[in-house]
Amino acid sequence: MTVPAALHDACPPSPSAATAPLAGAYARMSAVFPGLGVRQLADGEPLPRGAGWVAAADLAAGGAALDAFLAWDSAQVLQDYGQQARRDVVASFGLHRYAWPACLLVTVPWFLERRVPRLPVEDVAYQRTRGRMAVRVRGFACLPGDPAAALPAARVVADEDALRAEVRNAVAEHLEPVLDGFGPRMRRGRRALWGMATDEIVEGLWYVAHLLGEERRAMAELAALLPGTTRPYVGTAGFRELTGPAGEPLPTRDRASCCMFYTLRPEDTCVTCPRTCDADRVRRLAAPD
Protein backbone atom coordinates (compact mmCIF):
# COMPACT_ATOMS: atom_id res chain seq x y z
CA MET A 1 0.00 0.00 0.00
CA THR A 2 2.08 2.90 -1.30
CA VAL A 3 1.35 6.35 0.13
CA PRO A 4 2.70 9.59 -1.40
CA ALA A 5 5.27 10.96 1.00
CA ALA A 6 4.09 14.55 0.93
CA LEU A 7 0.56 14.21 2.35
CA HIS A 8 0.41 15.78 5.81
CA ASP A 9 -1.04 18.68 7.81
CA ALA A 10 -4.56 18.14 6.52
CA CYS A 11 -7.31 20.71 6.95
CA PRO A 12 -10.69 19.81 8.43
CA PRO A 13 -13.79 20.03 6.26
CA SER A 14 -15.24 23.53 6.08
CA PRO A 15 -18.24 24.22 8.34
CA SER A 16 -20.40 24.99 5.30
CA ALA A 17 -19.89 21.40 4.13
CA ALA A 18 -21.48 19.91 7.26
CA THR A 19 -24.69 18.95 5.47
CA ALA A 20 -23.13 18.09 2.10
CA PRO A 21 -23.74 14.48 0.97
CA LEU A 22 -20.03 13.62 0.84
CA ALA A 23 -18.84 15.47 3.94
CA GLY A 24 -19.25 12.52 6.27
CA ALA A 25 -17.14 10.20 4.14
CA TYR A 26 -14.36 12.75 3.72
CA ALA A 27 -14.39 13.51 7.46
CA ARG A 28 -14.12 9.80 8.34
CA MET A 29 -11.17 9.45 5.98
CA SER A 30 -9.35 12.47 7.46
CA ALA A 31 -9.99 11.22 10.99
CA VAL A 32 -7.89 8.10 10.36
CA PHE A 33 -5.62 9.66 7.73
CA PRO A 34 -4.89 13.25 8.74
CA GLY A 35 -2.51 13.49 5.79
CA LEU A 36 -5.41 14.33 3.48
CA GLY A 37 -8.14 16.88 4.11
CA VAL A 38 -10.93 17.65 1.66
CA ARG A 39 -12.87 20.90 1.59
CA GLN A 40 -16.11 21.06 -0.37
CA LEU A 41 -16.63 24.44 -1.99
CA ALA A 42 -19.93 26.24 -1.83
CA ASP A 43 -21.87 27.01 -5.01
CA GLY A 44 -20.10 29.79 -6.86
CA GLU A 45 -17.02 29.66 -4.65
CA PRO A 46 -13.84 29.73 -6.76
CA LEU A 47 -11.10 27.17 -6.49
CA PRO A 48 -8.29 28.33 -4.18
CA ARG A 49 -5.26 29.85 -5.87
CA GLY A 50 -1.77 30.76 -4.71
CA ALA A 51 -0.10 29.50 -1.50
CA GLY A 52 0.89 26.25 -3.16
CA TRP A 53 -2.50 25.42 -4.67
CA VAL A 54 -2.67 24.05 -8.21
CA ALA A 55 -5.83 23.44 -10.20
CA ALA A 56 -6.22 19.97 -11.66
CA ALA A 57 -7.15 21.58 -14.98
CA ASP A 58 -3.79 23.36 -15.03
CA LEU A 59 -1.95 20.07 -14.50
CA ALA A 60 -3.98 18.58 -17.33
CA ALA A 61 -3.01 21.46 -19.60
CA GLY A 62 0.61 20.32 -19.36
CA GLY A 63 2.15 23.80 -19.33
CA ALA A 64 3.90 25.99 -16.77
CA ALA A 65 1.79 24.78 -13.84
CA LEU A 66 2.83 21.20 -14.51
CA ASP A 67 6.46 22.24 -14.93
CA ALA A 68 6.36 23.88 -11.50
CA PHE A 69 4.60 20.88 -9.98
CA LEU A 70 7.26 18.49 -11.29
CA ALA A 71 10.11 20.79 -10.24
CA TRP A 72 9.05 20.07 -6.65
CA ASP A 73 9.30 16.31 -7.30
CA SER A 74 12.72 16.71 -8.90
CA ALA A 75 14.00 18.69 -5.91
CA GLN A 76 12.52 16.16 -3.50
CA VAL A 77 14.29 13.26 -5.18
CA LEU A 78 17.59 15.12 -5.03
CA GLN A 79 17.05 15.92 -1.35
CA ASP A 80 15.97 12.38 -0.38
CA TYR A 81 18.33 10.29 -2.51
CA GLY A 82 21.23 12.56 -3.38
CA GLN A 83 20.84 12.09 -7.12
CA GLN A 84 18.86 13.51 -9.98
CA ALA A 85 16.09 11.31 -11.34
CA ARG A 86 15.37 10.93 -15.04
CA ARG A 87 12.73 13.29 -16.41
CA ASP A 88 10.26 10.47 -17.02
CA VAL A 89 10.79 9.12 -13.49
CA VAL A 90 10.12 12.55 -12.00
CA ALA A 91 6.90 12.77 -14.02
CA SER A 92 5.86 9.31 -12.82
CA PHE A 93 6.43 10.30 -9.19
CA GLY A 94 4.49 13.53 -9.71
CA LEU A 95 1.54 11.75 -11.30
CA HIS A 96 1.45 9.26 -8.43
CA ARG A 97 1.48 12.04 -5.84
CA TYR A 98 -1.53 13.64 -7.52
CA ALA A 99 -3.54 10.63 -8.69
CA TRP A 100 -3.37 8.71 -5.38
CA PRO A 101 -5.35 11.32 -3.39
CA ALA A 102 -7.48 12.32 -6.40
CA CYS A 103 -8.83 8.79 -6.71
CA LEU A 104 -9.81 8.84 -3.04
CA LEU A 105 -12.15 11.75 -3.77
CA VAL A 106 -14.32 9.25 -5.63
CA THR A 107 -13.58 5.89 -4.04
CA VAL A 108 -13.92 6.85 -0.35
CA PRO A 109 -17.51 8.19 -0.53
CA TRP A 110 -18.42 5.17 -2.67
CA PHE A 111 -16.92 2.76 -0.15
CA LEU A 112 -18.32 4.46 2.96
CA GLU A 113 -21.60 6.01 1.82
CA ARG A 114 -22.38 4.46 -1.57
CA ARG A 115 -22.26 7.92 -3.14
CA VAL A 116 -20.14 8.64 -6.21
CA PRO A 117 -19.30 12.25 -7.10
CA ARG A 118 -18.50 13.44 -10.59
CA LEU A 119 -15.41 15.65 -10.36
CA PRO A 120 -14.07 16.91 -13.68
CA VAL A 121 -10.67 18.57 -13.52
CA GLU A 122 -12.27 22.01 -13.56
CA ASP A 123 -13.71 21.31 -10.09
CA VAL A 124 -10.62 20.14 -8.17
CA ALA A 125 -7.56 21.88 -6.74
CA TYR A 126 -4.65 20.41 -4.79
CA GLN A 127 -2.27 21.77 -2.15
CA ARG A 128 0.36 19.08 -2.08
CA THR A 129 2.69 20.19 0.70
CA ARG A 130 -0.16 20.44 3.22
CA GLY A 131 -2.18 17.47 1.96
CA ARG A 132 -5.31 19.42 1.07
CA MET A 133 -7.82 19.16 -1.73
CA ALA A 134 -10.69 21.46 -2.62
CA VAL A 135 -13.61 20.11 -4.62
CA ARG A 136 -16.79 21.48 -6.13
CA VAL A 137 -19.39 18.71 -6.23
CA ARG A 138 -22.03 19.46 -8.84
CA GLY A 139 -23.60 16.00 -8.82
CA PHE A 140 -23.32 12.49 -7.46
CA ALA A 141 -24.78 9.03 -8.06
CA CYS A 142 -26.40 6.99 -5.33
CA LEU A 143 -28.60 3.94 -4.80
CA PRO A 144 -32.38 3.80 -4.35
CA GLY A 145 -33.29 4.31 -0.72
CA ASP A 146 -30.34 6.57 0.04
CA PRO A 147 -31.60 9.52 2.13
CA ALA A 148 -29.54 11.79 -0.14
CA ALA A 149 -31.43 10.61 -3.22
CA ALA A 150 -33.94 13.44 -2.84
CA LEU A 151 -31.25 16.12 -3.15
CA PRO A 152 -31.23 18.10 -6.41
CA ALA A 153 -27.66 17.02 -7.20
CA ALA A 154 -28.42 13.29 -6.80
CA ARG A 155 -28.76 10.84 -9.67
CA VAL A 156 -30.18 7.48 -8.63
CA VAL A 157 -28.81 4.35 -10.31
CA ALA A 158 -30.35 0.91 -10.28
CA ASP A 159 -27.98 -1.26 -8.25
CA GLU A 160 -24.45 -1.98 -7.05
CA ASP A 161 -23.24 -2.93 -10.53
CA ALA A 162 -24.42 0.40 -11.90
CA LEU A 163 -22.79 2.23 -9.02
CA ARG A 164 -19.47 0.48 -9.68
CA ALA A 165 -19.71 1.67 -13.28
CA GLU A 166 -20.21 5.19 -11.93
CA VAL A 167 -16.99 4.87 -9.92
CA ARG A 168 -15.00 3.75 -12.94
CA ASN A 169 -16.49 6.47 -15.13
CA ALA A 170 -15.97 9.22 -12.54
CA VAL A 171 -12.31 8.35 -12.01
CA ALA A 172 -11.73 8.05 -15.76
CA GLU A 173 -13.42 11.40 -16.41
CA HIS A 174 -11.07 13.06 -13.95
CA LEU A 175 -7.85 11.22 -14.74
CA GLU A 176 -7.97 11.05 -18.54
CA PRO A 177 -7.08 14.74 -19.09
CA VAL A 178 -4.52 14.51 -16.27
CA LEU A 179 -2.87 11.56 -18.00
CA ASP A 180 -2.86 13.57 -21.22
CA GLY A 181 -0.99 16.34 -19.40
CA PHE A 182 1.61 14.11 -17.74
CA GLY A 183 1.89 11.51 -20.51
CA PRO A 184 4.34 13.25 -22.88
CA ARG A 185 6.84 13.57 -20.03
CA MET A 186 6.56 9.94 -18.94
CA ARG A 187 7.63 7.86 -21.98
CA ARG A 188 4.71 5.50 -21.39
CA GLY A 189 1.97 4.35 -23.74
CA ARG A 190 -1.73 4.61 -22.96
CA ARG A 191 -1.93 1.08 -21.56
CA ALA A 192 0.89 1.76 -19.11
CA LEU A 193 -0.71 5.05 -18.03
CA TRP A 194 -4.05 3.38 -17.38
CA GLY A 195 -2.26 0.58 -15.55
CA MET A 196 -0.91 3.27 -13.25
CA ALA A 197 -4.42 4.67 -12.81
CA THR A 198 -5.63 1.19 -11.88
CA ASP A 199 -2.96 0.94 -9.20
CA GLU A 200 -3.81 4.35 -7.75
CA ILE A 201 -7.48 3.39 -7.38
CA VAL A 202 -6.63 0.12 -5.64
CA GLU A 203 -3.75 1.11 -3.41
CA GLY A 204 -5.31 4.35 -2.17
CA LEU A 205 -8.58 2.81 -1.02
CA TRP A 206 -6.82 -0.31 0.27
CA TYR A 207 -4.65 1.86 2.50
CA VAL A 208 -7.47 4.02 3.85
CA ALA A 209 -9.71 0.98 4.43
CA HIS A 210 -6.89 -0.64 6.41
CA LEU A 211 -6.81 2.41 8.67
CA LEU A 212 -10.59 2.19 9.05
CA GLY A 213 -10.38 -1.49 10.03
CA GLU A 214 -12.16 -2.57 6.83
CA GLU A 215 -9.29 -3.90 4.75
CA ARG A 216 -10.93 -7.22 3.83
CA ARG A 217 -14.15 -5.56 2.69
CA ALA A 218 -12.17 -3.11 0.59
CA MET A 219 -10.27 -5.94 -1.08
CA ALA A 220 -13.54 -7.64 -2.03
CA GLU A 221 -15.09 -4.37 -3.21
CA LEU A 222 -12.04 -3.49 -5.31
CA ALA A 223 -11.95 -6.96 -6.86
CA ALA A 224 -15.56 -6.46 -8.00
CA LEU A 225 -14.83 -2.90 -9.16
CA LEU A 226 -11.86 -3.95 -11.33
CA PRO A 227 -12.46 -7.49 -12.60
CA GLY A 228 -10.02 -7.09 -15.49
CA THR A 229 -12.51 -6.38 -18.28
CA THR A 230 -13.27 -2.71 -17.65
CA ARG A 231 -11.53 -0.46 -20.14
CA PRO A 232 -9.65 1.83 -20.04
CA TYR A 233 -8.37 0.22 -16.83
CA VAL A 234 -5.71 -2.46 -17.08
CA GLY A 235 -5.83 -5.72 -15.20
CA THR A 236 -7.62 -6.70 -12.03
CA ALA A 237 -7.26 -5.38 -8.50
CA GLY A 238 -4.50 -7.99 -8.26
CA PHE A 239 -5.00 -9.20 -4.69
CA ARG A 240 -3.66 -12.49 -3.46
CA GLU A 241 -2.66 -13.99 -0.14
CA LEU A 242 0.66 -15.27 1.15
CA THR A 243 1.35 -17.27 4.29
CA GLY A 244 3.52 -15.85 7.05
CA PRO A 245 6.09 -17.74 9.16
CA ALA A 246 3.47 -18.53 11.82
CA GLY A 247 0.85 -19.54 9.27
CA GLU A 248 -0.81 -16.13 9.34
CA PRO A 249 -2.43 -14.77 6.15
CA LEU A 250 -0.57 -11.87 4.53
CA PRO A 251 -2.60 -9.95 1.95
CA THR A 252 -0.64 -8.59 -0.99
CA ARG A 253 -1.23 -7.60 -4.59
CA ASP A 254 0.66 -7.31 -7.85
CA ARG A 255 0.80 -3.86 -9.39
CA ALA A 256 -0.35 -3.35 -12.97
CA SER A 257 2.35 -0.71 -13.51
CA CYS A 258 5.83 0.17 -12.35
CA CYS A 259 6.39 3.17 -10.06
CA MET A 260 9.99 3.48 -11.35
CA PHE A 261 11.49 3.66 -7.86
CA TYR A 262 13.97 0.93 -8.87
CA THR A 263 15.74 3.53 -11.04
CA LEU A 264 16.88 5.22 -7.81
CA ARG A 265 17.28 2.17 -5.54
CA PRO A 266 17.44 -1.05 -7.61
CA GLU A 267 17.76 -3.15 -4.46
CA ASP A 268 14.71 -1.60 -2.74
CA THR A 269 11.55 -2.44 -4.68
CA CYS A 270 8.00 -1.82 -3.49
CA VAL A 271 6.36 -4.73 -1.69
CA THR A 272 3.63 -4.89 -4.36
CA CYS A 273 6.05 -4.67 -7.28
CA PRO A 274 6.14 -7.71 -9.60
CA ARG A 275 9.94 -7.48 -9.23
CA THR A 276 9.60 -8.36 -5.51
CA CYS A 277 9.62 -12.12 -5.00
CA ASP A 278 7.19 -13.78 -2.59
CA ALA A 279 9.92 -14.66 -0.09
CA ASP A 280 10.86 -10.99 0.24
CA ARG A 281 7.22 -10.02 0.51
CA VAL A 282 6.64 -12.47 3.35
CA ARG A 283 9.74 -11.23 5.17
CA ARG A 284 8.70 -7.59 4.87
CA LEU A 285 4.99 -8.07 5.54
CA ALA A 286 5.62 -10.23 8.62
CA ALA A 287 8.22 -7.88 10.12
CA PRO A 288 7.15 -5.98 13.26
CA ASP A 289 5.98 -2.42 12.61
Side-chain angles (χ1 to χ4, degrees), residues 174-198:
H174 184 84
L175 283 189
E176 184 165 21
V178 175
L179 297 180
D180 288 343
F182 279 83
R185 293 165 164 80
M186 291 177 61
R187 298 181 185 174
R188 301 199 195 192
R190 296 299 291 176
R191 180 177 175 82
L193 290 172
W194 282 105
M196 190 169 180
T198 303

Side-chain angles (χ1 to χ4, degrees), residues 17-246:
T19 59
L22 308 179
Y26 291 147
R28 285 182 64 188
M29 174 182 68
S30 294
V32 296
F33 181 43
L36 182 60
V38 181
R39 178 183 171 214
Q40 290 181 247
L41 302 175
D43 290 344
E45 184 179 0
L47 292 175
R49 297 279 184 174
W53 285 95
V54 61
D58 291 340
L59 295 179
L66 181 56
D67 290 338
F69 189 83
L70 295 179
W72 185 96
D73 290 283
S74 183
Q76 193 72 28
V77 168
L78 190 60
Q79 174 183 305
D80 291 346
Y81 304 107
Q83 63 186 91
Q84 182 63 61
R86 295 188 332 230
R87 185 170 181 261
D88 60 311
V89 173
V90 168
S92 295
F93 288 1
L95 177 59
H96 166 60
R97 286 173 172 145
Y98 176 77
W100 194 94
C103 288
L104 291 172
L105 297 175
V106 175
T107 59
V108 163
W110 164 67
F111 182 69
L112 294 178
E113 304 283 354
R114 286 304 190 255
R115 296 169 187 168
V116 180
R118 282 299 181 102
L119 295 168
V121 291
E122 293 78 15
D123 290 336
V124 177
Y126 182 37
Q127 215 290 5
R128 172 169 53 186
T129 58
R130 300 186 66 188
R132 299 182 179 184
M133 301 197 86
V135 299
R136 183 184 298 108
V137 180
R138 301 179 192 269
F140 65 96
C142 63
L143 294 171
D146 187 324
L151 294 174
R155 185 166 58 85
V156 179
V157 299
D159 53 26
E160 292 281 1
D161 282 342
L163 200 64
R164 281 190 284 269
E166 290 289 332
V167 175
R168 293 188 293 265
N169 291 340
V171 173
E173 178 186 36
H174 184 84
L175 283 189
E176 184 165 21
V178 175
L179 297 180
D180 288 343
F182 279 83
R185 293 165 164 80
M186 291 177 61
R187 298 181 185 174
R188 301 199 195 192
R190 296 299 291 176
R191 180 177 175 82
L193 290 172
W194 282 105
M196 190 169 180
T198 303
D199 288 328
E200 305 301 356
I201 291 172
V202 176
E203 299 213 343
L205 184 59
W206 186 26
Y207 178 77
V208 171
H210 169 75
L211 298 178
L212 288 163
E214 297 196 59
E215 180 179 5
R216 289 291 180 173
R217 181 168 78 87
M219 292 167 66
E221 298 270 15
L222 286 163
L225 179 70
L226 296 165
T229 56
T230 51
R231 294 183 178 180
Y233 303 104
V234 175
T236 68
F239 290 112
R240 57 193 180 93
E241 196 168 88
L242 301 173
T243 302

